[in-house]
Amino acid sequence: MKESQLPKPPYRIIYNYDSGPIFFQKEPVTPEHVDRMVDDVADAGADVLLVCANDQTTCFPSRTWQRFWDGFEEGDMSFFVDVPESRIENRIHWIRQTKRLSAECDYLERAMTRCRQRGIIPGITMRMNDMHGGGEGPKSHMRSRFYQDHPEYHTRCIEPRGYAREALDYAHPEVREHAMTLIREFVEHYDHEVLELDFTRFAFYFDRDDVDDHCGIMNGFMREVRALIDAGNRRIALIPRVASNPGAARQLGFDVEAWGRERLVDGLTVSQFINSGWEMPIDHFRSLVGSDVALYAGSMASGCHWDGLPPDSLALSPELMRGFASGYYGLGADGVNLFNFFTPLNMKPPREPCYATIAELRDPDRLRRSVRRHLITGGAELVETDLPGQVPDDIGKDKSRSFEMVLTAEPEGAEVTARVFFDGANEPEDLWLRIGMHSIGHAHEIQKGPDGHDGKVRPESKPRRSRIAVFPLPHGVIQDGRNEFVLRSENVGTTVLGIDVCVGGESRTAP
């Protein structure tokens, strides 16, 4: 380890606060609202609060980058060219809020100061290639002047990348210097201890192919960031957020093995783009970056998007939060990074996220003894970054399929149940399960599952009328880390929509 660098970060719980929510509220935002924003996270028990400072423009009064409200004049609707009319009213409110707060305080400075006062580690997260404003034209105010003035710096259009398909191309030195300008401002002017470079917002920094060249470019960029931090007078842990698989990360230009070998980073957050990934290979990342780099499993507010079924919200389920963290501790993670945790507040009607459960995620032993629920990943949102969804999967008559789940072994006396959500005519004697070396046998019973025809499914999904095969598990079947599930459909074929494992507390029934 270089003498100037920090030891391995000790944090367990990192809370990632989005750039917008504080400005979405109806009442005028004030410095006291910033304080309360920090207080909510500190009271919940997180170790680090990462405050997002930017999209393509900044939400704080930056000295170097275009600010979100720059160029806006009351009544001038030309500011909203290329913005759908249905979005303009909310955009005006958002801009007024950021501008109003900037007249009273520096949002980022206020948040960092409040973190110090409340004893939570202050951090900044920077979106490295933001492309919010999907469906809007190239002259939308969500696109910075730098972006609009330099179409030659855009990646070529690759349709599967969605509305991030024409992001800024980091092959251009000018693009990298543009990003470095804001990073320098953070390092030189703001009192923080953690800097997250969010390479998943958004995920595309180059055209496809030429992977070795792209990795070389980004390695040079990361060396520059590392040198900047090491030369400063603040001790800042550099913890980027990258795609959910080290191979996928490398294809996108991020050679995490080199970052670990050169100790360019102090930690990594591994994350999907929009939905939580339940089998991210933390152990593979560990083998590449070594033991001195902290690894965090990044969750999203959504627990899963199983095809044709209503989505599960991780932020609204203590059982899912515990299962997510516990499984990754069993796989060797150092902690969790909670992203977009606030989103239930945007539901109609709004719902309060489970802040009270956050502190529980610090203690792996407590989580092992807790009531928890583990899921299988389904419905990849962005094919170049996310885990391939294991479900839905069709199993023919008298055929079998293998699935993988990341779990933590249960304590003595806890009830454990595996549940298979399926769309088919199977009866208990038609579905048979093996987990690792253990033959579980046929399903104990079939229950009615959730229906997906209530308008909550994703538009591209076919609504399902699911059923649930229930498999009580003997003690000692599941193990810490990866677990193989082999499911056989006898007599009739079926479609597997999802699998979960429910672990009860001591002498308690699984949910």
Side-chain angles (χ1 to χ4, degrees):
M1 181 191 307
K2 297 178 183 178
E3 185 178 346
S4 61
Q5 289 179 335
L6 293 168
K8 181 178 178 178
Y11 320 123
R12 287 290 198 190
I13 307 168
I14 298 175
Y15 188 103
N16 193 314
Y17 195 89
D18 191 275
S19 63
I22 191 172
F23 303 109
F24 296 161
Q25 63 188 34
K26 291 184 178 180
E27 61 182 307
V29 65
T30 66
E32 289 70 33
H33 286 107
V34 181
D35 293 344
R36 288 201 291 272
M37 174 193 84
V38 175
D39 292 348
D40 287 344
V41 180
D43 291 341
D47 298 310
V48 179
L49 172 59
L50 296 176
V51 178
C52 183
N54 69 290
D55 296 301
Q56 281 199 16
T57 57
T58 70
C59 58
F60 73 101
S62 172
R63 303 161 177 82
T64 61
W65 264 33
Q66 179 184 346
R67 301 165 301 180
F68 189 57
W69 58 90
D70 284 346
F72 173 73
E73 298 289 343
E74 291 288 347
D76 181 8
M77 299 305 291
S78 67
F79 186 82
F80 299 101
V81 64
D82 276 355
V83 177
E85 185 176 355
S86 60
R87 299 181 181 181
I88 291 178
E89 182 179 355
N90 286 337
R91 291 290 173 80
I92 291 175
H93 178 71
W94 186 2
I95 292 167
R96 285 172 177 166
Q97 291 279 58
T98 56
K99 187 175 183 178
R100 179 186 294 114
L101 183 63
S102 73
E104 297 190 50
C105 72
D106 181 326
Y107 165 56
L108 196 55
E109 181 179 63
R110 179 84 179 203
M112 299 297 100
T113 299
R114 187 62 173 180
C115 284
R116 293 294 189 193
Q117 293 170 348
R118 289 302 315 274
I120 186 171
I121 299 297
I124 297 172
T125 175
M126 176 178 171
R127 291 176 172 171
M128 299 301 293
N129 212 353
D130 191 84
M131 289 296 289
H132 276 93
E136 300 179 10
K139 295 187 181 298
S140 165
H141 73 105
M142 295 296 288
R143 302 288 172 258
S144 68
R145 288 192 295 269
F146 181 84
Y147 181 93
Q148 292 188 34
D149 290 348
H150 295 287
E152 72 274 17
Y153 296 161
H154 300 180
T155 58
R156 64 186 174 89
C157 182
I158 300 175
E159 287 297 334
R161 291 179 169 182
Y163 57 82
R165 61 187 173 270
E166 293 182 273
L168 289 171
D169 188 343
Y170 272 60
H172 297 280
E174 296 86 353
V175 172
R176 302 195 298 276
E177 177 55 28
H178 177 66
M180 279 300 304
T181 299
L182 189 57
I183 295 172
R184 289 191 196 99
E185 181 173 359
F186 293 148
V187 171
E188 294 171 0
H189 294 285
Y190 290 92
D191 176 24
H192 65 293
E193 293 186 28
V194 177
L195 176 61
E196 177 185 81
L197 304 183
D198 189 350
F199 289 115
T200 69
R201 280 298 178 271
F202 282 39
F204 308 113
Y205 295 76
F206 301 97
D207 291 334
R208 288 176 175 167
D209 304 320
D210 300 323
V211 172
D212 289 342
D213 288 344
H214 297 162
C215 287
I217 289 170
M218 292 309 295
N219 288 348
F221 179 81
M222 294 300 291
R223 292 185 191 107
E224 187 176 356
V225 176
R226 179 82 263 172
L228 173 69
I229 290 174
D230 289 348
N233 58 9
R234 294 184 176 88
R235 305 282 282 179
I236 300 172
L238 181 60
I239 307 178
R241 196 163 78 111
V242 297
S244 57
N245 179 287
R250 192 175 190 283
Q251 291 296 307
L252 294 168
F254 309 113
D255 186 353
V256 298
E257 184 175 16
W259 296 1
R261 183 175 60 250
E262 298 184 37
R263 193 60 199 278
L264 299 178
V265 298
D266 301 288
L268 283 175
T269 291
V270 179
S271 177
Q272 302 235 114
F273 178 70
I274 198 66
N275 61 308
S276 297
W278 292 80
E279 308 89 32
M280 297 183 295
I282 291 288
D283 48 351
H284 190 186
F285 277 96
R286 174 67 68 206
S287 71
L288 295 174
V289 303
S291 59
D292 290 334
V293 175
L295 289 175
Y296 298 93
S299 74
M300 305 297 292
S302 57
C304 68
H305 286 171
W306 288 344
D307 182 73
L309 298 181
D312 272 309
S313 173
L314 184 140
L316 291 175
S317 170
E319 294 81 9
L320 287 180
M321 292 173 64
R322 297 177 193 130
F324 183 89
S326 181
Y328 281 117
Y329 281 132
L331 204 58
D334 294 290
V336 294
N337 184 323
L338 304 176
F339 187 90
N340 273 358
F341 196 76
F342 72 93
T343 53
L345 295 171
N346 294 338
M347 293 179 173
K348 296 182 180 180
R351 299 182 64 183
E352 184 77 6
C354 295
Y355 291 110
T357 307
I358 289 177
E360 297 181 28
L361 309 185
R362 175 175 290 103
D363 187 346
D365 291 333
R366 177 178 179 178
L367 290 172
R368 186 184 298 274
R369 298 190 302 270
S370 69
V371 177
R372 48 191 162 91
R373 182 178 175 222
H374 304 257
L375 303 182
I376 194 170
T377 302
E381 295 290 329
L382 213 56
V383 295
E384 292 182 66
T385 68
D386 290 354
L387 298 173
Q390 296 192 71
V391 289
D393 197 357
D394 294 329
I395 306 179
K397 174 185 175 183
D398 297 326
K399 302 294 183 181
S400 62
R401 289 288 187 275
S402 177
F403 304 91
E404 181 180 75
M405 297 192 72
V406 172
L407 305 169
T408 308
E410 81 281 9
E412 189 73 37
E415 295 185 16
V416 185
T417 304
R419 303 189 301 178
V420 176
F421 294 69
F422 68 97
D423 185 356
N426 307 70
E427 296 301 324
E429 62 271 17
D430 299 328
L431 290 171
W432 178 94
L433 178 65
R434 171 174 64 80
I435 300 178
M437 303 295 289
H438 302 273
S439 176
I440 308 305
H442 291 101
H444 174 70
E445 63 175 331
I446 303 293
Q447 301 175 348
K448 183 184 182 298
D451 292 341
H453 57 80
D454 56 1
K456 297 179 182 179
V457 299
R458 292 176 297 152
E460 69 271 22
S461 299
K462 174 185 176 182
R464 306 277 191 173
R465 290 185 177 274
S466 70
R467 305 170 72 203
I468 304 173
V470 180
F471 298 86
L473 304 184
H475 177 70
V477 168
I478 62 175
Q479 61 184 13
D480 288 359
R482 301 185 182 282
N483 291 257
E484 178 195 35
F485 282 56
V486 176
L487 182 69
R488 188 165 68 232
S489 183
E490 301 175 339
N491 305 314
V492 63
T494 197
T495 299
V496 178
L497 305 177
I499 302 174
D500 71 8
V501 170
C502 302
V503 181
E506 294 179 359
S507 301
R508 294 183 65 179
T509 303

